[in-house]
């Protein structure tokens, strides 16, 4: 049963973590993040930014506490005046110009009140950009036949959320959702939000979503960031599923606390 559950969670992880191009590792931030939140009152915006920083520290990414740091995570709550989500961006939007065509299409076609994307730098084995200009490619030799020759670094992430859709949700829920959509390249939930495990990614699909990041969510982010920079996606998916199953096993073993 546990092996079957591990396989189920592995396949689910593959659906929600956007797959990298062939022979590339899953992208992640290499440096502490600096979040900026727009479209809310200053107090609410800072509360969400601070929780994102707390999440990043707790999950091993780190956060830049300098108030003058250059934002690497943008969370924007879009007012009704901006129109429906399908009007926020187009294939020609400069915000998406760095994305490959298939990635732009994925962002534009998301069926939720959210649009999210990451800016990714592909680097060679020595940390240098793999593409110089538009036509020159660096082709370093890997250390072995099993080592990927590149690393992929998230250098910036953005998530746009319809402010109307956020009404009734807590600041903690919104911050944890933004954490999951920016610290790694996650997609909207498949199958209209039906999920084999609780996840904050269901925030805008589930009538009764989690109050915060779940054990699965934390296992997903922590295992990705615990992995070496050039770990293969297959290894990362396996590690996430194994950690999630272990978390479920531990939860079942904990005695129930009697209600007062």
């Amino acid at each position: 049963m546990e092996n079957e559950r591990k396989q189920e969670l592995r396949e689910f992880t593959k659906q929600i973590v956007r797959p990298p191009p062939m022979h590339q590792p899953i992208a992640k931030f290499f440096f502490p993040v600096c979040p900026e939140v727009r479209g809310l009152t200053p107090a609410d915006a800072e509360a969400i930014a601070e929780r994102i920083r707390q999440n990043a520290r707790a999950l091993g990414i780190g956060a830049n506490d300098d108030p003058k740091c250059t934002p690497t995570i943008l969370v924007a709550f879009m007012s009704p005046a901006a129109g429906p989500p399908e009007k926020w961006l187009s294939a020609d939007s400069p915000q998406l110009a760095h994305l490959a065509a298939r990635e732009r299409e994925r962002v534009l076609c998301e069926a939720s009140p959210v649009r999210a994307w990451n800016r990714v730098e592909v680097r060679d084995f020595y940390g240098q950009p793999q593409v110089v200009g538009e036509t020159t490619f660096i082709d370093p030799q890997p250390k072995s036949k099993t080592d990927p020759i590149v690393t992929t670094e998230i250098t910036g992430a953005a998530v746009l959320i319809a402010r109307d859709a956020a009404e009734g949700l807590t600041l903690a829920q919104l911050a944890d959702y933004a954490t999951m959509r920016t610290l790694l390249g996650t997609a909207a939930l498949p199958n209209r939000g039906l999920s084999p495990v609780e996840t904050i990614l269901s925030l805008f699909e589930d009538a009764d979503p989690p109050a915060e990041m779940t054990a699965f969510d934390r296992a997903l982010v922590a295992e990705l960031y615990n992995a070496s920079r050039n770990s293969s996606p297959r290894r990362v998916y396996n590690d996430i599923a194994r950690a999630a199953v272990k978390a479920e096993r531990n939860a079942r073993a904990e005695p129930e606390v009697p209600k007062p």
Side-chain angles (χ1 to χ4, degrees):
M1 287 292 292
E2 196 164 280
N3 284 337
E4 292 176 3
R5 180 60 171 164
K6 190 183 300 181
Q7 181 63 23
E8 181 181 34
L9 294 183
R10 182 183 185 278
E11 292 305 311
F12 178 64
T13 300
K14 289 174 64 177
Q15 290 181 306
I16 61 174
V17 177
R18 294 197 291 273
M22 188 175 295
H23 304 309
Q24 290 186 12
I26 299 172
K28 57 185 176 181
F29 281 99
F30 288 0
F31 299 99
V33 298
C34 176
E36 178 181 355
V37 180
R38 302 176 184 172
L40 298 178
T41 65
D44 287 351
E46 177 51 31
I48 289 177
E50 176 56 25
R51 186 170 175 102
I52 293 173
R53 287 191 288 266
Q54 291 173 356
N55 287 337
R57 285 191 289 265
L59 294 167
I61 298 96
N64 190 332
D65 293 323
D66 184 347
K68 295 182 179 180
C69 63
T70 300
T72 54
I73 288 177
L74 171 65
V75 182
F77 289 86
M78 308 295 285
S79 72
E86 55 268 25
K87 299 294 186 181
W88 295 345
L89 301 161
S90 72
D92 298 323
S93 294
Q95 300 97 315
L96 307 181
H98 63 283
L99 297 177
R102 64 184 178 83
E103 285 297 306
R104 284 198 299 272
E105 185 70 11
R106 182 200 58 74
V107 173
L108 296 172
C109 293
E110 182 168 338
S112 77
V114 178
R115 297 293 182 269
W117 64 93
N118 305 93
R119 178 181 290 275
V120 175
E121 289 277 353
V122 181
R123 303 184 186 279
D124 66 22
F125 187 80
Y126 304 100
Q128 299 300 313
Q130 196 177 30
V131 179
V132 180
E134 296 182 353
T135 58
T136 303
F137 292 83
I138 299 170
D139 186 20
Q141 295 299 312
K143 285 187 173 181
S144 74
K145 293 181 179 179
T146 59
D147 282 341
I149 63 171
V150 297
T151 59
T152 48
E153 176 188 356
I154 298 176
T155 58
V159 56
L160 313 181
I161 301 173
R163 197 160 62 202
D164 286 351
E167 292 181 2
L169 300 172
T170 69
L171 298 180
Q173 286 177 309
L174 294 168
D176 286 5
Y177 179 86
T179 297
M180 290 293 292
R181 294 304 303 267
T182 57
L183 293 186
L184 65 163
T186 48
L189 288 184
N191 303 322
R192 297 183 179 179
L194 297 178
S195 167
V197 64
E198 279 198 327
T199 170
I200 196 65
L201 290 171
S202 69
L203 186 62
F204 296 101
E205 285 81 19
D206 193 339
D208 186 23
E212 60 184 5
M213 290 177 70
T214 66
F216 171 78
D217 296 330
R218 293 183 181 280
L220 194 159
V221 180
E223 289 301 320
L224 172 60
Y225 278 88
N226 282 337
S228 66
R229 292 185 177 186
N230 62 352
S231 285
S232 69
R234 178 180 180 180
R235 177 180 296 178
V236 173
Y237 295 143
N238 285 336
D239 289 346
I240 290 169
R242 183 170 57 252
V245 168
K246 181 179 179 181
E248 291 181 341
R249 186 194 317 128
N250 292 341
R252 290 193 300 268
E254 292 177 358
E256 292 189 9
V257 177
K259 295 181 180 180

